[in-house]
Amino acid sequence: MSTVQGQAIFRDVPEPKRVGLRQKVWNSRFDYLYVAPAIIVMLIVIGYPIYYTIELSFFNTPASLALSAKQFNGLDNYVTILTSPIFWKVTWQTVVWTVVSTFFAFMIGLGAALALHREFAGRGVLRAILLIPWVVSAVAASYVWKWLYHSDFGAISAMLTQVGLVDKPINFIDNTSTSLYALIVVNVWKEFSFAMIMLMAGLQTVPDTLLRAAQVDGASPWQRFWHVTFPHLRGVSMVTLLLLAVQNFNSFIIPWIMTGGGPAGSSDIWITHIYQLAFGRQRWGVASAYAVILFIVMMVLGYFYVRALTKGDDARAAT
């Protein structure tokens, strides 16, 4: 800034030059020495299995499990997968499993968080009760729900029959048309507590003054939620949705214990299908190719998760 005849003249100040990733790493090169042991362990425990899985996906493995006799077949495993109708069936079931589970777990968690955000008698007890699904072991929950769904001895069919809603017991997990959706119910029950916790934390950031001002201005409860509460929950909602989606893509315990992918593959999703190919049929090459495809999908979801988690960091760093 300079002055001419008593007037201040502001000259354009050049914006600070953005530092690239390489330069950031180089500037912090000595800091990485402190985390070098952890990085080495991660390369051994995580990096090498990823590399070997990718390598194995380009080979045809013999049924004798002698991996030393594996034969290189290029992209044949990927072509076999992408041209198989089973792959597209399992992919569709995985999409249904992930999208429906994520949506309903988030919506129920949001409703529970909004209800528990208000002061009322017994709120602490109700919070503890609603946390039970999240803290219960997935293995124990799967066996309990498998018994509840049992067509002959299950409590759900017995209650529906007693109240007269159905004439005979329902085969929830033994029916090809209902097995996947029955598992989704269990998965939503298991996961909505996580969404509730995340969103309850986000609700703490909503200023009470804005809500009171909107109420004084005559805004309805829906308008207060949509125009005041939800904008403050946008960041935590995106993170929660992405975390739920990633967890559902990798969900294995509930579908495997309750149905094992059956009946007739009606509840098979990617992770259970990969397990069956690798450890059931010993098709290690095809299973590895499946795993690589799943890994790419997970990397894409992970990228969006990191973007959502670090959104606004550059702007805050500049200030």
Side-chain angles (χ1 to χ4, degrees):
M1 181 183 72
S2 61
T3 57
V4 177
Q5 296 180 354
Q7 296 180 354
I9 300 176
F10 292 90
R11 296 176 180 174
D12 294 336
V13 179
E15 295 182 359
K17 186 177 180 181
R18 299 189 64 180
V19 181
L21 179 61
R22 287 185 179 180
Q23 189 62 39
K24 289 181 180 179
V25 173
W26 177 254
N27 294 339
S28 305
R29 60 189 181 278
F30 295 110
D31 298 336
Y32 287 103
L33 294 176
Y34 294 99
V35 296
I39 293 176
I40 294 173
V41 172
M42 289 182 63
L43 289 175
I44 296 174
V45 177
I46 300 176
Y48 177 74
I50 292 175
Y51 160 76
Y52 189 71
T53 301
I54 295 174
E55 178 189 5
L56 197 60
S57 68
F58 298 106
F59 287 86
N60 181 27
T61 55
S64 61
L65 303 183
L67 295 181
S68 58
K70 62 181 183 294
Q71 299 176 349
F72 180 79
N73 61 359
L75 297 175
D76 287 353
N77 291 331
Y78 293 93
V79 174
T80 300
I81 291 172
L82 296 177
T83 56
S84 172
I86 297 178
F87 168 76
W88 296 108
K89 176 187 175 182
V90 173
T91 300
W92 170 249
Q93 292 174 175
T94 305
V95 171
V96 172
W97 162 269
T98 303
V99 173
V100 177
S101 295
T102 301
F103 174 78
F104 282 103
F106 177 82
M107 295 304 296
I108 296 175
L110 176 61
L114 291 173
L116 295 176
H117 186 62
R118 298 183 177 183
E119 292 285 349
F120 59 89
R123 184 177 66 164
V125 176
L126 188 57
R127 282 181 175 179
I129 293 174
L130 292 180
L131 282 176
I132 292 176
W134 178 249
V135 299
V136 169
S137 168
V139 175
S142 299
Y143 280 111
V144 170
W145 276 95
K146 189 174 182 179
W147 174 80
L148 291 174
Y149 277 145
H150 197 281
S151 57
D152 296 326
F153 309 104
I156 297 178
S157 291
M159 288 188 296
L160 293 177
T161 305
Q162 288 180 358
V163 298
L165 293 179
V166 295
D167 298 330
K168 57 182 180 179
I170 302 174
N171 294 324
F172 289 103
I173 58 176
D174 297 327
N175 192 328
T176 56
S177 59
T178 59
S179 59
L180 181 61
Y181 299 99
L183 297 184
I184 289 175
V185 171
V186 180
N187 197 43
V188 170
W189 173 85
K190 187 76 176 67
E191 290 184 338
F192 87 92
S193 298
F194 169 75
M196 180 188 71
I197 295 171
M198 295 287 289
L199 295 170
M200 283 177 62
L203 287 172
Q204 304 300 321
T205 65
V206 181
D208 290 336
T209 54
L210 292 180
L211 292 172
R212 293 172 183 172
Q215 186 176 6
V216 170
D217 291 338
S220 64
W222 169 253
Q223 290 174 332
R224 293 198 300 271
F225 168 77
W226 186 251
H227 296 288
V228 179
T229 303
F230 186 72
H232 286 83
L233 293 178
R234 191 167 298 164
V236 69
S237 296
M238 182 61 65
V239 171
T240 303
L241 286 170
L242 288 172
L243 284 175
L244 287 173
V246 170
Q247 182 172 333
N248 289 326
F249 256 108
N250 285 306
S251 183
F252 174 78
I253 296 176
I254 291 176
W256 182 255
I257 290 180
M258 295 190 65
T259 63
S266 59
S267 61
D268 221 2
I269 58 177
W270 272 3
I271 195 71
T272 58
H273 192 60
I274 292 172
Y275 184 85
Q276 290 175 356
L277 286 172
F279 300 101
R281 307 176 191 174
Q282 284 78 45
R283 300 182 63 186
W284 303 100
V286 177
S288 298
Y290 259 104
V292 171
I293 297 174
L294 178 60
F295 177 74
I296 294 173
V297 174
M298 299 307 301
M299 289 295 292
V300 173
L301 290 175
Y303 168 78
F304 287 109
Y305 168 71
V306 173
R307 285 287 302 272
L309 199 63
T310 60
K311 186 178 181 181
D313 283 0
D314 293 337
R316 287 191 292 269
T319 58

